[in-house]
Amino acid sequence: MRKFWLIGSLLAALGTGFVALLGVGVFVVAGNLTGGGAGRTAGLAKGSVPAAYQALVQKWGNLCPALSPALLASQLYQESGFNPRARSAAAAEGIAQFIPSTWAAHGVDGDKDGVRDVWNPADAIPSAASYDCELASYVKNVPGDQSANMLAAYNAGPDAVIRYGGVPPYSETRNYVKTIRGLEESFSAPVGRLQPSEQAAAAISYAQGKLGTPYLWGGTGTAAQRGRFDCSGLTQAAYENVGIDLPRVANDQYNAGPHPGRDELLPGDLVFFSDDLSDSRAIRHVGIYVGGGYMIDAPRTGAVIRFDPIDTPDYFGATRVTQAAAAALPEPGASKSLRPVDEDRAAEKAQEAGGAGKAETGSGTADEAAVDAKGEGGGEGGGEDKGEGEEQDAAAKGGGQAGGDGAAVSGEPTGGPSPSPEVSAPAAGAGEGPRRAD
């Protein structure tokens, strides 16, 4: 009954024109929830690894049979978020998070410049691969999955893997192995047909119920925010409603599952947009695909949640959300080793702007009043919002941005673009009004 109700609601919402295509798309995904196959994967998914490191990961990820480029990428992402300046409370350093004693014993001069530098990805990525493969050789005769045993040896040491005849019964080690293997599919380029998402129709239904809701910069739909959302807040809530917890930031949501091609999209897939089509860390917008070349999204300040076309020059790619991959994603801001570069940029921007990028405090009520006074929803020509990853990082860190739907802050002209603590707003692009930039 749900699929027919959803189709009928979509038709009622927008008329029988192109919406018939949307309904057919939802019908197809609902009718194929039990069909299809996951397909095996090989190689790196488009843009999943920052372009600066892609060749290194591709090359060194093939160093030994227990390793793959996607597995190495998922390990680097879990360790540092591809941040070459990451430093943990335990003194782990660099993109691969080596502690000094391990680096001294296993670091290699990957770029052959005569220096082994833990902060240089050209050394750290080859070192991570070499260390993985060295561990794999220690545990090669242990029964079970070779890659899982290698990862367990990385976390608990090869002696523990040998002693227990496989992944040791340590919760930390088992979670580490599960996390890396869960992330692996989001860095793999699919070969063959991906299995449809069982939660797709219900996620679309949730988002559809929010059509017409005004956009709120940093919004996650709370009562204090009057049920308003920004782009990744909407997608997060839609999948939370079906029991899948997505991270708050759009560029992290890209890693919540495998990546279908444009001609393989099914309703419920998340679709992403970026000004850098080679790097998923630069993603700044996300929506939920509904079929027929359209998505439901929360576009920007001054607009409402609506249907938008996806075929624009800034279309980056898509993710078919899976429970395993979503559960494996590191919590944004959970570790000080993750994304301190972004925090540094935010601080630098705040200083440059005289505090314009500083997070507001409080529940957001005063900010909402400022928004209302400015005329929220008063057209799309009032300027673009900040990049998706930037605003979401600020919100995820508890910066109080939830009430900032274009709200004036120190240094921001009334009616101007929302403040960007990390990067400047992108230039306007193709499509209706200013480019989506939330």
Side-chain angles (χ1 to χ4, degrees):
M1 289 298 293
R2 177 184 294 164
K3 63 187 178 185
F4 296 109
W5 172 84
L6 183 55
I7 293 169
S9 299
L10 287 169
L11 293 174
L14 291 184
T16 58
F18 77 86
V19 185
L21 294 173
L22 308 186
V24 169
V26 175
F27 179 87
V28 168
V29 71
N32 284 282
L33 293 180
T34 58
R40 299 186 65 185
T41 57
L44 292 172
K46 168 186 169 290
S48 59
V49 174
Y53 315 130
Q54 186 165 356
L56 284 168
V57 173
Q58 185 67 50
K59 173 184 176 180
W60 291 94
N62 287 299
L63 186 62
C64 65
L67 195 60
S68 70
L71 190 64
L72 178 59
S74 66
Q75 194 173 23
L76 295 170
Y77 172 74
Q78 195 276 339
E79 292 289 346
S80 70
F82 297 112
N83 181 358
R85 291 170 55 190
R87 185 197 300 270
S88 77
E93 298 173 336
I95 195 170
Q97 290 291 276
F98 278 94
I99 61 173
S101 60
T102 305
W103 179 257
H106 301 282
V108 302
D109 179 13
D111 58 4
K112 307 299 183 185
D113 65 352
V115 178
R116 297 186 305 148
D117 184 0
V118 72
W119 302 108
N120 181 3
D123 290 341
I125 292 174
S127 297
S130 298
Y131 186 44
D132 278 339
C133 292
E134 183 179 345
L135 293 170
S137 69
Y138 289 148
V139 298
K140 64 181 179 180
N141 295 322
V142 175
D145 182 89
Q146 190 176 15
S147 297
N149 289 338
M150 175 191 73
L151 293 171
Y154 184 95
N155 180 264
D159 290 343
V161 175
I162 294 170
R163 183 166 67 253
Y164 285 101
V167 178
Y170 310 146
S171 58
E172 178 186 332
T173 302
R174 291 189 170 183
N175 287 336
Y176 182 81
V177 173
K178 182 179 179 180
T179 294
I180 301 298
R181 299 307 296 268
L183 287 171
E184 185 179 4
E185 68 175 348
S186 72
F187 290 97
S188 301
V191 290
R193 188 172 181 272
L194 293 173
Q195 183 175 353
S197 168
E198 296 182 8
Q199 295 88 354
I204 292 172
S205 176
Y206 179 92
Q208 179 202 349
K210 306 302 178 183
L211 288 168
T213 303
Y215 172 94
L216 176 64
W217 178 49
T220 57
T222 66
Q225 299 163 346
R226 301 203 297 273
R228 295 177 292 174
F229 298 89
D230 62 15
C231 71
S232 62
L234 176 64
T235 53
Q236 183 186 47
Y239 271 93
E240 183 180 29
N241 188 59
V242 296
I244 296 179
D245 292 327
L246 293 177
R248 182 67 183 93
V249 186
N251 55 18
D252 281 330
Q253 290 183 5
Y254 183 74
N255 295 312
H259 308 291
R262 172 63 185 86
D263 59 347
E264 301 169 325
L265 288 180
L266 290 175
D269 291 345
L270 298 183
V271 284
F272 297 87
F273 303 83
S274 177
D275 294 315
D276 183 350
L277 301 184
S278 67
D279 182 3
S280 66
R281 307 310 296 155
I283 285 171
R284 55 168 171 72
H285 188 69
V286 59
I288 301 177
Y289 188 63
V290 293
Y294 282 81
M295 65 179 170
I296 296 176
D297 70 323
R300 58 182 172 271
T301 300
V304 299
I305 294 174
R306 65 191 188 189
F307 292 100
D308 273 321
I310 71 166
D311 291 317
T312 57
D314 56 344
Y315 176 76
F316 182 90
T319 295
R320 187 155 301 156
V321 175
T322 68
Q323 186 83 52
L329 290 170
E331 189 70 23
S335 169
K336 290 184 179 179
S337 72
L338 296 183
R339 300 165 188 77
V341 166
D342 292 339
E343 296 171 7
D344 292 344
R345 288 175 182 163
E348 291 167 4
K349 274 289 183 182
Q351 286 183 341
E352 292 171 6
K358 190 180 298 181
E360 295 98 344
T361 59
S363 66
T365 303
D367 292 334
E368 289 172 0
V371 173
D372 293 339
K374 286 166 52 179
E376 179 186 60
E380 298 178 358
E384 297 168 6
D385 291 337
K386 64 193 291 188
E388 165 69 12
E390 290 73 43
E391 75 173 71
Q392 304 304 351
D393 269 341
K397 292 168 189 170
Q401 297 287 9
D405 186 4
V409 294
S410 174
E412 181 198 0
T414 302
S418 301
S420 174
E422 296 169 17
V423 296
S424 57
E432 177 187 2
R435 175 181 295 167
R436 295 181 300 270
D438 90 318

